[in-house]
């Protein structure tokens, strides 16, 4: 558990405007430069990012207050579980059980909150092997690629079960092999800001829906 980031968010949450849009997840969400994109495009949306690098779903479950509930968001975009499916010991049943508990708590405490559950991003295993950003990076990318289709199916089914919306905003990220484009990635797993510009364009309609009355 990243106690520093959890404590940092606890302090930041003292001054938040409740009822806004929330981004939550692991590194692929923490690295999303959403507020810079909004400023650059002249969009007046209040979005809080509470992603934490390296986080698994069980770790999120330990910090639901700091990452979610303290903010009382009206809308949540969640992308969590990529680190879970990158571990050899993780099973599909583990993913389903843990993710379901996150959603159960959200439904119980934030019944009227709109939740968008995001499809997992693509990876580039060959690039991860070449760069080896951390010792297990190549194996993590390989496992993730193998497990992405079934993991996305799990997330899609959970979204339907809880009355939430599953969204795939990955169009434009993949090469002809269906892998993360090299020029968009730092290490075969994580992404440069240009990738998030593409993702933002794909999810913009969902974001704008949140402020339409």
């Amino acid at each position: 558990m990243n106690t520093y980031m959890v404590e940092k968010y606890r302090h930041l949450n003292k001054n938040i405007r409740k009822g806004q849009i929330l981004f939550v997840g692991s590194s692929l969400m923490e690295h999303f430069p959403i507020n810079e994109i909004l400023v650059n495009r002249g969009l007046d949306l209040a979005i809080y990012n509470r992603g934490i690098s390296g986080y698994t779903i069980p770790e999120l479950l330990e910090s639901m207050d700091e990452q979610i509930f303290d903010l009382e968001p009206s809308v949540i975009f969640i992308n969590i579980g990529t680190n879970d499916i990158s571990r050899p010991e993780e099973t599909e049943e583990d993913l389903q059980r843990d993710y379901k508990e996150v959603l159960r708590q959200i439904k119980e405490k934030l019944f009227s909150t709109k939740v968008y559950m995001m499809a997992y991003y693509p990876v580039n295993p060959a690039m991860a092997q070449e760069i080896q950003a951390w010792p297990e990076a190549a194996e993590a990318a390989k496992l993730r690629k193998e497990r992405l289709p079934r993991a996305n199916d799990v997330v899609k089914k959970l979204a339907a079960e809880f009355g939430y919306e599953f969204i795939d905003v990955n169009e434009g990220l993949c090469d002809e092999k269906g892998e993360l484009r090299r020029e968009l990635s730092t290490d075969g797993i994580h992404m440069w800001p240009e990738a998030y510009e593409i993702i933002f364009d794909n999810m913009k309609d969902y974001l704008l829906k949140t402020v339409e009355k």
Side-chain angles (χ1 to χ4, degrees):
M1 185 173 181
N2 190 327
T3 55
Y4 167 75
M5 288 299 294
V6 172
E7 185 66 16
K8 174 184 174 181
Y9 289 153
R10 188 177 294 126
H11 284 274
L12 285 172
N13 290 345
K14 293 176 182 178
N15 299 308
I16 56 94
R17 287 166 50 200
K18 295 184 178 183
Q20 305 305 312
I21 303 168
L22 173 66
F23 279 17
V24 67
S26 54
S27 60
L28 289 164
M29 194 61 99
E30 183 185 352
H31 297 171
F32 201 133
I34 183 59
N35 287 297
E36 188 145 338
I37 291 173
L38 292 175
V39 170
N40 292 344
R41 297 187 182 215
L43 293 171
D44 185 19
L45 292 174
I47 301 179
Y48 291 100
N49 190 326
R50 292 294 181 265
I52 298 181
S53 294
Y55 253 35
T56 60
I57 303 175
E59 287 174 309
L60 172 60
L61 283 166
E62 292 180 21
S63 54
M64 293 285 281
D65 287 337
E66 293 82 3
Q67 290 187 263
I68 299 176
F69 297 134
D70 287 350
L71 295 95
E72 298 179 17
S74 58
V75 182
I76 298 172
F77 288 85
I78 185 169
N79 189 332
I80 189 71
T82 51
N83 291 311
D84 303 70
I85 66 173
S86 301
R87 302 181 305 170
E89 66 272 20
E90 181 80 1
T91 67
E92 194 171 315
E93 291 72 26
D94 293 333
L95 177 69
Q96 182 177 26
R97 179 196 65 235
D98 295 340
Y99 210 141
K100 186 171 185 175
E101 179 58 20
V102 170
L103 301 178
R104 187 196 67 76
Q105 291 189 30
I106 292 173
K107 181 67 76 174
E108 180 182 295
K109 296 186 179 182
L110 300 170
F111 183 77
S112 62
T113 294
K114 175 73 175 176
V115 178
Y116 292 99
M117 298 165 59
M118 298 171 69
Y120 296 119
Y121 296 127
V123 293
N124 190 310
M127 187 176 181
Q129 176 71 48
E130 293 164 17
I131 295 176
Q132 290 283 2
W134 68 93
E136 298 83 20
E139 180 63 16
K142 179 175 177 290
L143 280 173
R144 194 176 298 183
K145 183 182 178 183
E146 292 171 358
R147 294 172 170 178
L148 278 176
R150 292 184 67 87
N152 279 326
D153 283 343
V154 167
V155 176
K156 191 180 299 185
K157 288 174 183 175
L158 286 172
E161 179 180 342
F162 281 84
Y164 295 148
E165 189 168 352
F166 174 85
I167 60 172
D168 186 337
V169 293
N170 297 339
E171 184 179 356
L173 297 181
C174 294
D175 60 19
E176 65 281 355
K177 296 192 294 184
E179 297 179 348
L180 182 59
R181 289 160 51 195
R182 281 179 170 262
E183 68 271 21
L184 297 177
S185 182
T186 63
D187 57 12
I189 294 174
H190 299 96
M191 298 179 286
W192 291 115
E194 290 87 345
Y196 287 106
E197 294 280 354
I198 293 170
I199 294 165
F200 180 83
D201 283 332
N202 293 335
M203 69 190 299
K204 184 169 60 176
D205 288 346
Y206 299 105
L207 285 164
L208 294 179
K209 268 189 210 176
T210 68
V211 294
E212 290 175 359
K213 301 297 180 187

